[in-house]
Amino acid sequence: MQNFIPLASPDIKESDIDYVVEVLRSGNLVQGKYVEQIESQLCQNFNYVNSILVSNGTATLHLILVALGIGTDDEVIVPAFSYIATANVVELVGAKPVFVDINEATFNIDPSLIEKKITSKTKALIAVHEFGLAADVTFLKDLCNQYGIFLIEDAACALGAKENNEFVGKFGIASSFSFHPRKAITSGEGGVVVTNDKILASKIRTLRNHGIDSDKRNFNDFIMAGFNYRMTDFQAALLKGQIERFSFILNRKQFIARRYLDEIDNSKLKCPYVPEGKIHTWQTFYLLVNDDLNRDDLILKLKNEGIGSNYGAQCIPAQTFYKNKYRFNVKQEFPSALKAYEKGIAIPIYEKMTDEQVSYIIERINLI
Ligand SMILES: Cc1ncc(COP(=O)(O)O)c(C=O)c1O
C-alpha cells in the first residue's frame, strides 16, 4: 500500500521559506513591504483594481458587510450549502441570512430560486463559488442590479476561476478570497478583499486597521471604529512564490481533476459537473454517493486504504444554531443542500500529488 495520502497538503518550497525568514530576520513583522507587494501582485496577475490583504477569509467577508453598512433589520441572501462562515458573518453584523437552495449538479446557488426570496429588506446577495466553480455571476449581477442590491462574491476557494473568460471577483461590488492551507495558495491564515470601487477599498483598508484613516496615513487620527484584521508581513511573504507559480499549481490541479472525471467509473458515485464557459479551480473534488453507499463508512474505508477524505461544506440551515434560531424544515426547504451535505465526499486534489497517487485513488474508488 502507498504511504497515507492526506486530503490536502500545501506545497511550501524552500524558496517560500526563505522569503518568510527574510521578514523574520528584518524585525518588521507587521506592515512591512510584502503586504503591499502582494496586493499589487494580485491586482496585476488577476486584473483586479484594488486588493486588500487581511487576516483570514472570514474577516474579508465581515469587512465587506460592515463597509457596505449592512446590519440590523437587513437581509442577505446566501446559499444553503457553503462553509459556515458565509452565513455567520451575516449573523455577526446583526442581519438575517436568507438561505436559498443549491443546484445539485454544480453545488452553487440555484439562480431560479432567488427572486422569490428577495424582499424590501434584502440588501445583498453573497454568491459563493463553491469548491472553486464560478457561480452564475453574470446572471446574478444582472439580477442584483435589477433589484438594487449588492452582489458580493465569496470566492474563498476560487482564485483563478473564471466565468465567460473573466476572473471571478470582478462581478461583485466586492469579493473575498481565503488563503487557508486548504486553498490553492496559502499564507497559513489569510484572505484578500478585491473591489473595483476606490471609495469602498479605502473604507475597508481603514476598517482593517483600527479605523486609522488609510488615505491620509495619519496614524493619530481614527475616523471609524475599526478592527485589527491586518495580515502579518511574514504571512504575505509566504504568498510571494506561490503567486508566481500559480498557473502551474492550477494546471496541475486541473490535470488531476480531468483524470478523476475521465477515469472514475463507479455507478455508486457521481462526479462533479462543470458547465460550459466556466473555469474550475478544484479547491475540492467532491463526489456524491448514491443510496447503495454510506458516506461515513466510505471515508473510513478509504482511510484504511491510505486515502484521506472528508465532508465538504455544510448544509448551513441544518446546523444547530441556524436550525434552532429559524426553525427550518431543512428536508423540505433545502433538499439539494442537504443531499450535498449528507452524501458528499471530498477526495485529495493538490499540486504535489504524484501521478501514481492519483492512479491509486482512482483504482480504489472504482473497486468500491
Ligand atoms: C466558501 C467559504 N467562505 C469563507 C471561508 C472562510 O475562510 P477562512 O477559513 O480563511 O476564514 C471559507 C473557508 O474555507 C469558505 O470555503
Side-chain angles (χ1 to χ4, degrees), residues 178-225:
S178 165
F179 298 126
H180 177 272
R182 281 280 309 272
K183 310 300 188 271
I185 60 173
T186 183
S187 52
E189 299 288 358
V192 68
V193 179
V194 305
T195 175
N196 291 338
D197 185 319
K198 198 170 161 219
I199 296 170
L200 190 63
S202 155
K203 203 166 174 188
I204 289 172
R205 278 184 198 287
T206 299
L207 284 167
R208 170 182 68 173
N209 191 16
H210 299 288
I212 294 167
D213 189 342
S214 68
D215 289 331
K216 295 205 178 97
R217 302 258 167 180
N218 178 348
F219 292 110
N220 291 312
D221 193 15
F222 297 82
I223 58 168
M224 287 175 205

Side-chain angles (χ1 to χ4, degrees), residues 11-24:
D11 192 15
I12 306 295
K13 311 270 190 219
E14 282 306 313
S15 51
D16 300 326
I17 294 170
D18 289 343
Y19 288 127
V20 174
V21 170
E22 178 202 320
V23 176
L24 296 179

Side-chain angles (χ1 to χ4, degrees), residues 157-358:
C157 306
L159 186 67
K162 286 184 178 173
E163 158 140 307
N164 299 331
N165 247 348
E166 180 87 88
F167 282 119
V168 301
K170 304 269 296 178
F171 295 83
I173 176 93
S175 305
S176 155
F177 295 83
S178 165
F179 298 126
H180 177 272
R182 281 280 309 272
K183 310 300 188 271
I185 60 173
T186 183
S187 52
E189 299 288 358
V192 68
V193 179
V194 305
T195 175
N196 291 338
D197 185 319
K198 198 170 161 219
I199 296 170
L200 190 63
S202 155
K203 203 166 174 188
I204 289 172
R205 278 184 198 287
T206 299
L207 284 167
R208 170 182 68 173
N209 191 16
H210 299 288
I212 294 167
D213 189 342
S214 68
D215 289 331
K216 295 205 178 97
R217 302 258 167 180
N218 178 348
F219 292 110
N220 291 312
D221 193 15
F222 297 82
I223 58 168
M224 287 175 205
F227 307 94
N228 178 356
Y229 280 165
R230 296 186 307 247
M231 179 184 273
T232 57
D233 219 49
F234 51 93
Q235 287 175 295
L238 185 58
L239 289 170
K240 184 175 164 58
Q242 295 177 77
I243 294 175
E244 282 161 8
R245 57 177 193 278
F246 182 78
S247 51
F248 171 79
I249 296 172
L250 188 55
N251 286 344
R252 178 74 191 147
K253 294 185 84 166
Q254 286 170 335
F255 174 80
I256 296 168
R258 190 71 261 158
R259 283 202 58 196
Y260 283 158
L261 290 170
D262 289 345
E263 297 175 46
I264 290 180
D265 183 15
N266 184 329
S267 58
K268 296 181 195 135
L269 290 154
K270 195 166 119 201
C271 275
Y273 163 71
V274 185
E276 284 285 305
K278 313 244 188 199
I279 302 286
H280 201 317
T281 59
W282 301 108
Q283 183 267 341
T284 290
F285 194 94
Y286 202 61
L287 296 156
L288 284 183
V289 305
N290 77 4
D291 290 339
D292 296 337
L293 277 181
N294 176 295
R295 186 263 315 267
D296 292 349
D297 291 347
L298 177 58
I299 290 174
L300 204 60
K301 185 172 164 48
L302 289 175
K303 186 175 169 205
N304 290 335
E305 297 191 344
I307 301 168
S309 64
N310 208 339
Y311 300 1
Q314 291 86 40
C315 174
I316 303 177
Q319 306 308 307
T320 299
F321 172 79
Y322 291 96
K323 211 167 45 186
N324 289 350
K325 183 164 179 180
Y326 297 108
R327 303 273 155 208
F328 294 117
N329 181 336
V330 179
K331 238 185 193 159
Q332 214 165 38
E333 294 176 66
F334 310 106
S336 298
L338 191 61
K339 183 171 175 189
Y341 177 55
E342 290 182 340
K343 303 273 184 188
I345 176 170
I347 60 171
I349 183 161
Y350 44 94
E351 176 198 2
K352 68 181 181 191
M353 286 173 74
T354 63
D355 289 345
E356 292 69 35
Q357 287 176 318
V358 177

Side-chain angles (χ1 to χ4, degrees), residues 138-158:
T138 308
F139 175 87
L140 297 178
K141 188 175 175 177
D142 286 348
L143 187 72
C144 286
N145 285 343
Q146 188 189 330
Y147 283 92
I149 60 182
F150 295 122
L151 175 65
I152 298 166
E153 293 175 68
D154 180 348
C157 306

Side-chain angles (χ1 to χ4, degrees), residues 55-61 81-87 89 126-131 154-157 176-183 188-191 283 312-313:
S55 47
N56 59 68
T58 308
T60 59
L61 288 170
F81 182 69
S82 177
Y83 187 63
I84 193 94
T86 312
V89 289
I126 304 182
V128 178
H129 306 297
E130 193 55 52
F131 301 141
D154 180 348
C157 306
S176 155
F177 295 83
S178 165
F179 298 126
H180 177 272
R182 281 280 309 272
K183 310 300 188 271
E189 299 288 358
Q283 183 267 341

